[in-house]
Amino acid sequence: MAIADKFRGDLMQPIALLFVIAVMNSACTTDRQPKLLDCPHRDVPFSLNSPLMDILPSESATAVVQQNMPQLATLPEFMTSTQAPAFGAIVTM
């Protein structure tokens, strides 16, 4: 019996270590949905400091800008694009 108990004791430590490694590995590799990035200025009112790319999708904001700045219609497409990446993301009014 003493040999069987010693043999069982010698196996328990590596088995316990493998169990811990398996649990840690499964915790690290679970499929987690990446956190969606949200626009920090989503709820901020439009201003002269708003990026052009944020103003253009809003019809009412674009109408106000066109009333006060008719040159908006003559800007090149790369500046008025609302698809990222676009120059309009760094240009403000």
Side-chain angles (χ1 to χ4, degrees):
M1 273 295 237
I3 294 175
D5 290 336
K6 173 135 177 57
F7 184 70
R8 197 174 307 130
D10 289 343
L11 282 179
M12 289 307 290
Q13 189 174 10
I15 290 173
L17 181 61
L18 286 174
F19 177 75
V20 169
I21 291 172
V23 168
M24 290 176 64
N25 187 36
S26 67
C28 294
T29 59
T30 56
D31 289 335
R32 294 184 185 141
Q33 293 294 327
K35 188 173 185 179
L36 295 176
L37 297 177
D38 199 358
C39 180
H41 299 290
R42 176 187 71 210
D43 299 322
V44 176
F46 294 121
S47 73
L48 292 175
N49 294 324
S50 296
L52 185 60
M53 187 180 212
D54 290 349
I55 294 171
L56 292 174
S58 170
E59 291 180 17
S60 59
T62 302
V64 169
V65 171
Q66 285 179 340
Q67 282 178 340
N68 296 293
M69 187 182 150
Q71 304 90 332
L72 182 66
T74 63
L75 291 176
E77 186 179 333
F78 75 91
M79 290 185 76
T80 58
S81 174
T82 57
Q83 299 296 318
F87 193 68
I90 60 172
V91 176
T92 61
M93 301 309 301

